[in-house]
Amino acid sequence: MVAEHVERADDPKAALAAIRVVGADAFAPYLLADAVFHPQDAAAVTQSFALFPPPVTTPDPPPAGAAEPWLVAWRDWAMATLLARLTDAEPGGALAPRPTGAPVLTEADQPQGGGDTDGQDPGADAPDDSGRTDTDWQRWSVRMGQLSPLALPGLEGPVHTAARAAPLALARGATRAVLRRDFPTAARITRWLALLAAEGTRVPLDPVPLLEHLRLHGGGPRLALDVAIARRLLALETA
Amino acid sequence: MLAQHTPLLVAPTDTTALGTAMVEPEAVLSDAPTYAPEAAGFLLLLALVSPKEPKEPKGK
Amino acid sequence: MTASVTRTAHQVSARALTWLHTHRELGALPADTTADLGDPDSVYKPLGESALAASLVLRESAAGGTELRLARELMDFCWRQFGDGDMLYERLLRYSMMTDPLETYAPFARCGIRHEPLERLLAHTSALRSVRGAEVLPNRRLAVANAARVAGLDRGAHAYDWSALARATWLGATPEPWLIDWMTGYCVTHTVFHLTDWGGHPAGLPDDLTAYVATWLPVWIDIWAEIEQWDLVAELMIVGCCLPEPYCAPADWERLARVQHADGLVPRDGDPVADDPGRRFEDHQHTAVVAAIAGTLAVSRTLGGAAEQR
């Protein structure tokens, strides 16, 4: 499936880049449905990593480093890890190293105001002009959404731990995105809610009607993919 | 086959573009709900089924 | 952190109250007004809202001496506008099914400003099945019930079924929080206002609705603040003050203080504010009322309580 996409493309460079944009989700048909993974698919992914190599050293997590390269590094790790699993590669043979850290969430808006300085870099949590911090639930949930390809079975790490620790912030973030009519962001965040719900975690929001709403209201291939994967995670769709 | 492609050249701008595409930011502008008279459908319905205002009674 | 909310909220409410007091004559009823009120929303309703804000400043007694004096003067001004209550009495006498005389009277009754003939008439009218069965929106029915409670009419055989009233509202259904619209936002705020009697009785909000509101309130404040719907944002901030565990985020208060003009006007939204004094009052009087109430309750709750807990 992945190999076919590259074979048929007029612009092979763009096609190989697109593999990385889809990221670990390119493996969803093999993980969540019964698509058969071929060696050519692995070759296409490997070629994409050869053409667009991830940095040798992983970027520092924010606030020490910039957010975007770090998010890219996590997504590359997810894809490389699943590729290694599907090809039974040697341990440590993944094409991208594992970054450190997870999006940081501070509960600065809790009623009693506790925990606003517990060990975080105080400079990183300073409110901007609109009174928001870089670690509030709004930005945290958007960042988790940018890591939505990690919300697949078989991947595990600090980002997953962060998601499991904050179903409320995920639910608020998804709700906020729907109300802003930013449906692609809503779908990405809802992926995490779906993963948590599938694991048996109680989430403050029923993801099922929300996914149906997004499917009917949202547009674009990325949203369709996020919604389809979330529905698979919840076993709303089979085969 | 893949291997038959001529060598591909990647410019730094390609890498930057890929990084940007991989981490789509949220929508810059919100389209949150605001006052919408056209959304007050129940008012319209009420207006349609309610009687017309009577004329001023005679002799008043 | 709490101290900063108390300080900012006090500043916002004191300025909003001062603005309402300073410009009160712009909200006076026309000289030829009768109980018939051709357009009840133009002046009559705003006067009742100003009286409501003043009555809550007086109830909480958390403001300074100056603000308490302004609140008393504003109450007196509004009462005089209503002919010392005669206008409300005549309006109810003429239109038995109308609920606004009771709703308008409640803030005065709360402060001990009473009108005996109106009270006798209210006791009779509000108990009639015909009036109780009138077809109104569920959150409006709660407004009437709370006004009756404040006026001392919610008792004995005529006590209201608060649980059933709460369940009938949009909020009572604990709906999907991501489908709320602007008008429904106002329905939610008013459901909470009336169930809790404007934060005086936080336990009046059923436990499951309290949990629901506490979960989603930050989201609704966020999305409507982003598009500068200050009137609705300030109403939602009142809701935060009505919860058993109040939600008063410092960032919300700093933001509201930033949008408030130096003279105390709080713009209803992000649109340009007119220069004409009459237009300014007409457009933004409601938001000043809301800001004065929000600030008053935030000061009171961050200092330690709800009216019923004192």
Side-chain angles (χ1 to χ4, degrees):
Chain A
M1 188 183 291
V2 180
E4 271 177 50
H5 149 77
V6 179
E7 289 286 337
R8 290 182 187 165
D10 294 333
D11 180 351
K13 189 166 75 175
L16 290 168
I19 289 176
R20 301 285 282 289
V21 174
V22 178
D25 290 339
F27 299 127
Y30 314 110
L31 297 168
L32 298 167
D34 48 10
V36 179
F37 191 69
H38 294 290
Q40 302 97 298
D41 296 323
V45 175
T46 305
Q47 199 175 5
S48 172
F49 273 84
L51 192 62
F52 299 99
V56 179
T57 56
T58 58
D60 282 333
E68 280 70 23
W70 176 77
L71 292 166
V72 167
W74 264 120
R75 292 172 62 125
D76 278 340
W77 167 82
M79 183 162 218
T81 301
L82 290 178
L83 176 69
R85 174 139 343 130
L86 287 162
T87 55
D88 293 322
E90 296 290 310
L95 295 168
R98 194 178 105 158
T100 56
V104 174
L105 172 68
T106 48
E107 297 291 340
D109 60 4
Q110 287 306 299
Q112 298 311 313
D116 50 334
T117 53
D118 48 315
Q120 296 299 323
D121 176 356
D125 204 24
D128 65 9
D129 287 347
S130 62
R132 290 172 60 180
T133 67
D134 198 45
T135 56
D136 58 20
W137 60 266
Q138 292 93 327
R139 294 192 201 183
W140 178 85
S141 60
V142 168
R143 213 161 264 178
M144 289 298 287
Q146 290 172 308
L147 294 171
S148 71
L150 274 67
L152 282 172
L155 290 173
E156 197 52 59
V159 180
H160 301 75
T161 307
R164 288 186 196 109
L168 175 60
L170 288 169
R172 283 178 176 169
T175 300
R176 170 177 174 271
V178 180
L179 287 168
R180 296 177 84 248
R181 298 183 75 85
D182 182 352
F183 297 131
T185 296
R188 289 192 279 260
I189 301 171
T190 307
R191 278 263 304 259
W192 286 106
L193 285 170
L195 183 74
L196 264 54
E199 290 175 353
T201 303
R202 278 179 63 93
V203 293
L205 198 63
D206 183 355
V208 176
L210 177 53
L211 286 168
E212 186 64 3
H213 189 80
L214 292 169
R215 187 162 74 141
L216 295 171
H217 287 75
R222 178 36 101 173
L223 177 141
L225 182 58
D226 276 312
V227 169
I229 290 174
R231 287 174 56 83
R232 291 281 170 151
L233 290 170
L234 291 167
L236 296 172
E237 271 174 43
T238 48
Chain B
M1 290 301 291
L2 289 167
Q4 289 166 354
H5 288 304
T6 48
L8 297 169
L9 293 174
V10 171
T13 49
D14 291 337
T15 313
T16 309
L18 175 57
T20 306
M22 282 175 75
V23 284
E24 241 183 288
E26 74 169 338
V28 176
L29 291 179
S30 170
D31 189 17
T34 182
Y35 172 69
E38 62 274 22
F42 69 96
L43 290 178
L44 185 65
L45 185 67
L46 268 183
L48 289 174
V49 299
S50 61
K52 272 195 250 179
E53 263 181 55
K55 288 189 190 130
E56 194 74 5
K58 280 175 192 154
K60 212 183 162 184
Chain C
M1 184 172 264
T2 304
S4 86
V5 168
T6 313
R7 194 170 52 245
T8 313
H10 172 72
Q11 176 198 308
V12 169
S13 65
R15 286 181 181 175
L17 183 70
T18 304
W19 186 84
L20 287 169
H21 181 272
T22 303
H23 302 289
R24 63 193 181 283
E25 291 292 347
L26 293 170
L29 287 166
D32 57 351
T33 304
T34 67
D36 284 339
L37 291 175
D39 178 10
D41 285 348
S42 65
V43 179
Y44 171 71
K45 185 166 168 279
L47 275 170
E49 291 163 352
S50 288
L52 169 69
S55 79
L56 294 173
V57 172
L58 295 173
R59 180 189 77 182
E60 296 301 320
S61 293
T66 308
E67 285 78 44
L68 292 173
R69 177 179 61 77
L70 294 179
R72 269 192 298 272
E73 289 179 5
L74 201 52
M75 285 303 287
D76 291 342
F77 170 78
C78 296
W79 189 240
R80 278 197 306 279
Q81 288 292 308
F82 295 139
D84 293 337
D86 288 350
M87 195 188 123
L88 304 178
Y89 172 70
E90 284 158 22
R91 190 162 158 80
L92 184 62
L93 208 52
R94 179 71 187 80
Y95 303 105
S96 299
M97 291 283 279
M98 288 203 171
T99 60
D100 58 73
L102 169 59
E103 293 180 70
T104 309
Y105 179 59
F108 299 102
R110 189 197 293 287
C111 297
I113 301 174
R114 317 291 295 221
H115 189 286
E116 289 297 331
L118 176 60
E119 296 223 353
R120 283 194 294 274
L121 188 58
L122 282 169
H124 159 68
T125 310
S126 72
L128 294 172
R129 290 201 304 282
S130 184
V131 167
R132 296 227 172 183
E135 302 198 7
V136 293
L137 282 182
N139 79 83
R140 294 286 309 125
R141 201 180 285 286
L142 271 173
V144 176
N146 188 46
R149 173 162 64 180
V150 171
L153 299 169
D154 171 36
R155 60 184 174 208
H158 306 303
Y160 288 81
D161 183 346
W162 290 91
S163 176
L165 290 172
R167 290 300 147 200
T169 63
W170 183 88
L171 179 61
T174 58
E176 298 83 9
W178 39 264
L179 209 64
I180 193 169
D181 65 15
W182 190 85
M183 205 62 213
T184 310
Y186 280 96
C187 292
V188 171
T189 62
H190 283 258
T191 297
V192 176
F193 298 162
H194 301 310
L195 281 170
T196 65
D197 187 21
W198 302 90
H201 173 52
L205 192 64
D207 288 347
D208 61 327
L209 302 193
T210 295
Y212 176 89
V213 170
T215 301
W216 306 117
L217 187 63
V219 182
W220 297 334
I221 290 176
D222 177 88
I223 60 128
W224 276 309
E226 185 180 1
I227 62 165
E228 304 184 319
Q229 291 292 311
W230 306 125
D231 190 89
L232 182 49
V233 167
E235 285 215 1
L236 290 165
M237 288 164 70
I238 299 178
V239 168
C241 297
C242 294
L243 299 175
E245 190 147 316
Y247 175 80
C248 302
D252 293 343
W253 278 101
E254 282 149 26
R255 184 171 48 212
L256 194 63
R258 274 199 304 275
V259 304
Q260 185 172 36
H261 292 204
D263 69 347
L265 177 146
V266 182
R268 63 183 175 186
D269 54 30
D271 290 348
V273 175
D275 290 330
D276 174 65
R279 184 71 198 279
R280 284 164 73 88
F281 188 81
E282 190 185 327
D283 287 352
H284 307 288
Q285 176 268 353
H286 183 267
T287 315
V289 165
V290 174
I293 295 172
T296 297
L297 295 180
V299 169
S300 172
R301 298 303 307 276
T302 52
L303 287 178
E308 65 185 354
Q309 289 163 0
R310 288 198 207 108

